[in-house]
Amino acid sequence: MERISVAHSPVPTDGSSISAWWASAVVYQVYPRSFADANGDGMGDLRGVTAHLDHLHRLGVDAVWLSPFYKSPQADAGYDVADYREVDPLFGTLADFDDMLQKAHGLGLKVIVDLVPNHTSDEHAWFQEALAAPPGSRERDRYMFRPGKDSVPGSGKGDLAPNNWKSIFGGPAWTRVTEADGAPGEWYLHLFDTKQPDLNWDNAEVKEEMRSVLRFWLDRGVDGFRVDVAHGMVKEAGLPDWEGSAAMVEGATDLPGDAHGGHTEAEEPHRAHPAAATDAAAATAADDEHQAVSPLYPPSPFFDQDGVHEIYRDWHRVLAEYDGDRMMVAEAWVEPAERLARYVRPDEMQQAFNFDFLLAGWDAGRTAAAIEASLRAAATVGATTTWVLSNHDTVRHTTRFGLKDPTTFPKGIAAEDEQPDAGLGLARARAATMVALALPGSAYLYQGEELGLPEHTTVPAEARQDPTFFRTNGIERGRDGCRVPLPWKAAEPGYGFASAFTGNAPAAPWLPQPESFGELAADRQDGVGGSTLELYRSALALRKEHRLGAGSFQWADVHAPEDGLLAFHNGDILVIANMGLAPATLPEGYRVGLASAEEAVTGGPAESGSADSAADPGTDQGGVRKLAPNSAAYLVAI
């Protein structure tokens, strides 16, 4: 099709001048339970992480972020912390952590650890003290204990929950305790599982304790913190009733009425919201039906309250006591982008996850809108932005992009649900990753995506462990499918998940692995041209060579999201992703530095050493090179 060239002005990238390591870093998320098992008990551990740090170094990432490994009853896979200063025996010891940190630093890798400040485990010493203490005590004031709504003398016995809030994991957000005398007592708030009571961030002792936790890990040498539920912690005064419902991850659900903690389509549409787009063409290309709807409508009384920002200003001062550009990155499901930018003002956090980009799906218009809105919002506060496609809370993008509608966000997938087109999903995922890695700012990768791992979409119900699955009676499939242990060696038990063990054979991995993991194991892809692993290595090497993370951004003349074509310049690289249905013409004057697939670029003269050098001469179309649908390419000016 004929395209009309349009002049595009540069999009602000004010954060590109930041010299700190995190501003342009590629960070690899390690989910310790599922990364590697060093002792053969079926559960990943810190020594398993240490054993595979060479893999991450060779991959070309700059930093490692570890999901929680703290002492925990594991009701929510470690996000229920019983002791912030101890390693859970499942994962090893503090000495194992120190060894891992030392090796990572020796390889030039920074280390970021998870911080979970919104809630603790119900087995935390503080909560046990609260249960033993009377109402109104210092011990209870550390948490959100309240009398029942009907507890006014003469009007009731406190049998009604303090308000109507729902848990993000399904069901009510309040649980009633039994007092020391055996009588029904106060209620405590848990925005997540019953075993995850919310801390009271109006309490000075809570604030000082979390400062102490920060210093404990900073003193050990960690380089930063990923802050869980960073938009939580502070609740609206008076804890008013709220008719909405909230989710940590946007997604559609079929949950009936009040049985769920997830959004209905009216409350939180499962597609990206392009209302923040400043590019008129991108906004026009997006679905009008979703444009003006916030993911939290009406606004939530427990998320994104203004008071959270004073907490992060306080923590910023703590990190400033240490050398080495220590950092924080916020997990904050906040819209619009301008609201998220408040978390990365100069005296608060250094980064925030860009979930608008993750939610855009495989759609050029939505992706373009998310990119531009994110860059412009970050520039207003002089910050860089981040780019992420998958994590431990979402269906892997390799699978999402293979669904009939690749912009949807299911809350897990089961065998009875729509199954993705695996080949199509992988092709799109490889192309989308190339886009993310070429954008200025920092990129976050989720473990296993460098192998092209899909979601495990047929995990048996009896094997599932996510509390969301149980609290919604299985209606929400949960997050187990993206948390399946990694395959390292195809021919070994558990595909090599266990690297060393005692006895005759290792225990089975804590979650079952699909058969497809055999062909995708790391040893099957290492050194194999065209494999997803080698594509990631090449893209990361090219990103470093051309300093794309610290680069600039400008839409290219051939950028045409209405036709499915995403195209932008970053320095001397022209990035083109064809998200449309027809081949797209590549501009002249460039060689192909890297393509997402060997067959992505066809036609035209082959460039020596370029990704299209093996193109079939028979596909030459009068010297015109074409980029296939579901593909991306890095073009370098000749």
Side-chain angles (χ1 to χ4, degrees):
M1 71 182 62
E2 182 179 355
R3 302 189 188 280
I4 301 174
S5 294
V6 179
H8 294 278
S9 59
V11 177
T13 51
D14 292 4
S16 61
S17 61
I18 300 174
S19 61
W21 65 268
W22 45 262
S24 59
V26 176
V27 183
Y28 184 100
Q29 181 188 356
V30 166
Y31 192 67
R33 299 167 66 93
S34 300
F35 187 69
D37 172 14
N39 63 7
D41 65 354
M43 182 69 63
D45 45 47
L46 291 175
R47 288 196 293 121
V49 175
T50 304
H52 288 284
L53 286 174
D54 289 328
H55 168 81
L56 303 185
H57 176 64
R58 186 179 172 196
L59 184 62
V61 301
D62 304 295
V64 181
W65 150 37
L66 285 89
S67 291
F69 49 82
Y70 311 113
K71 185 177 180 182
S72 165
Q74 304 295 319
D76 183 26
Y79 282 94
D80 49 319
V81 180
D83 191 330
Y84 290 93
R85 298 174 180 84
E86 287 290 340
V87 172
D88 193 281
L90 277 175
F91 305 124
T93 65
L94 272 174
D96 291 333
F97 176 85
D98 291 339
D99 289 344
M100 183 275 302
L101 183 67
Q102 182 179 12
K103 181 173 180 180
H105 283 168
L107 292 170
L109 296 170
K110 304 291 187 180
V111 175
I112 299 167
V113 298
D114 234 304
L115 187 68
V116 187
N118 179 74
H119 49 264
T120 72
S121 165
D122 65 340
E123 296 185 23
H124 191 286
W126 273 11
F127 193 72
Q128 291 301 305
E129 292 170 4
L131 291 178
S137 63
R138 167 196 170 203
E139 291 82 1
R140 288 207 173 175
D141 190 58
R142 296 166 177 159
Y143 293 90
M144 304 289 289
F145 279 87
R146 295 291 186 276
K149 183 181 290 188
D150 60 333
S151 62
V152 177
S155 65
K157 299 180 179 180
D159 294 337
L160 298 178
N163 64 32
N164 66 347
W165 293 358
K166 303 180 186 72
S167 163
I168 280 80
F169 284 172
W174 295 91
T175 290
R176 196 175 193 183
V177 303
T178 300
E179 303 296 354
D181 62 1
E186 290 189 311
W187 300 73
Y188 69 88
L189 177 67
H190 51 88
L191 290 180
F192 295 89
D193 192 73
T194 305
K195 292 181 66 62
Q196 294 170 288
D198 279 46
L199 288 163
N200 173 19
W201 273 91
D202 289 330
N203 181 288
E205 196 173 358
V206 169
K207 295 177 181 178
E208 182 53 39
E209 168 65 3
M210 210 55 68
R211 291 188 203 103
S212 175
V213 170
L214 287 171
R215 291 190 174 99
F216 177 85
W217 293 104
L218 289 166
D219 288 342
R220 299 195 90 83
V222 304
D223 301 286
F225 301 90
R226 176 265 190 187
V227 181
D228 185 62
V229 197
H231 57 318
M233 295 134 80
V234 175
K235 281 72 175 176
E236 185 176 335
L239 309 184
D241 280 351
W242 183 55
E243 297 303 325
S245 55
M248 290 305 295
V249 182
E250 284 203 16
T253 180
D254 295 326
L255 291 168
D258 291 339
H260 64 88
H263 292 263
T264 66
E265 175 67 6
E267 293 160 348
E268 182 182 32
H270 63 283
R271 296 189 172 101
H273 309 287
T278 57
D279 186 311
T284 300
D287 274 350
D288 292 338
E289 64 182 288
H290 291 291
Q291 279 193 2
V293 184
S294 167
L296 289 178
Y297 183 81
S300 162
F302 50 78
F303 279 162
D304 197 29
Q305 299 292 302
D306 288 343
V308 299
H309 297 287
E310 185 50 47
I311 296 172
Y312 300 135
R313 293 186 187 99
D314 182 36
W315 291 4
H316 185 101
R317 292 188 288 269
V318 172
L319 267 64
E321 299 169 8
Y322 295 80
D323 59 10
D325 292 322
R326 312 297 174 99
M327 59 82 76
M328 296 179 288
V329 55
E331 182 212 26
W333 292 85
V334 173
E335 282 194 352
E338 290 77 11
R339 190 82 184 172
L340 182 63
R342 291 157 49 90
Y343 288 77
V344 291
R345 289 176 288 196
D347 61 345
E348 296 192 37
M349 293 202 183
Q350 286 70 30
Q351 293 186 330
F353 288 132
N354 184 351
F355 293 122
D356 278 356
F357 182 74
L358 183 150
L359 291 167
W362 182 256
D363 182 278
R366 298 177 192 280
T367 302
I371 290 172
E372 180 149 349
S374 300
L375 288 172
R376 290 191 182 279
T380 64
V381 292
T384 60
T385 192
T386 64
W387 312 102
V388 59
L389 290 165
S390 287
N391 62 34
H392 65 290
D393 284 330
T394 64
V395 172
R396 287 182 178 272
H397 67 287
T398 308
T399 292
R400 287 187 277 113
F401 293 170
L403 297 173
K404 289 179 181 177
D405 181 350
T407 67
T408 55
F409 263 78
K411 294 184 176 180
I413 299 176
E416 56 268 37
D417 300 324
E418 178 198 346
Q419 296 299 299
D421 181 326
L424 179 61
L426 178 58
R428 288 171 169 172
R430 288 163 59 111
T433 294
M434 286 184 57
V435 171
L437 292 178
L439 290 164
S442 181
Y444 281 76
L445 308 179
Y446 179 49
Q447 66 176 37
E449 69 170 83
E450 79 278 14
L451 305 178
L453 296 188
E455 186 88 354
H456 190 349
T457 60
T458 58
V459 177
E462 61 272 18
R464 292 189 179 273
Q465 301 191 31
D466 189 345
T468 64
F469 177 77
F470 300 102
R471 288 180 66 89
T472 63
N473 295 316
I475 298 174
E476 280 193 22
R477 311 309 190 188
R479 301 161 293 178
D480 294 313
C482 68
R483 299 176 173 185
V484 175
L486 299 190
W488 292 100
K489 296 181 179 179
E492 293 190 2
Y495 302 123
F497 175 57
S499 57
F501 46 87
T502 58
N504 295 325
W510 69 281
L511 279 174
Q513 300 157 302
E515 291 184 7
S516 62
F517 274 26
E519 290 301 316
L520 297 173
D523 67 336
R524 288 286 180 91
Q525 299 193 44
D526 187 18
V528 177
S531 70
T532 302
L533 176 57
E534 293 301 332
L535 176 68
Y536 269 70
R537 287 172 176 166
S538 296
L540 287 165
L542 194 147
R543 174 186 168 92
K544 276 192 172 71
E545 176 188 352
H546 293 268
R547 302 189 72 250
L548 299 179
S552 58
F553 183 91
Q554 182 173 354
W555 293 117
D557 288 347
V558 295
H559 177 61
E562 66 278 8
D563 293 332
L565 195 64
L566 189 77
F568 60 89
H569 294 279
N570 183 344
D572 58 354
I573 297 290
L574 170 60
V575 180
I576 297 183
N578 186 0
M579 299 181 174
L581 301 177
T585 301
L586 293 181
E588 298 179 359
Y590 294 89
R591 66 175 175 84
V592 180
L594 185 66
S596 62
E598 291 183 0
E599 68 278 9
V601 179
T602 57
E607 295 289 342
S608 177
S610 71
D612 62 336
S613 59
D616 181 358
T619 62
D620 191 301
Q621 302 173 36
V624 176
R625 293 179 302 173
K626 296 286 187 177
L627 180 66
N630 306 311
S631 302
Y634 292 165
L635 306 182
V636 184
I638 296 176

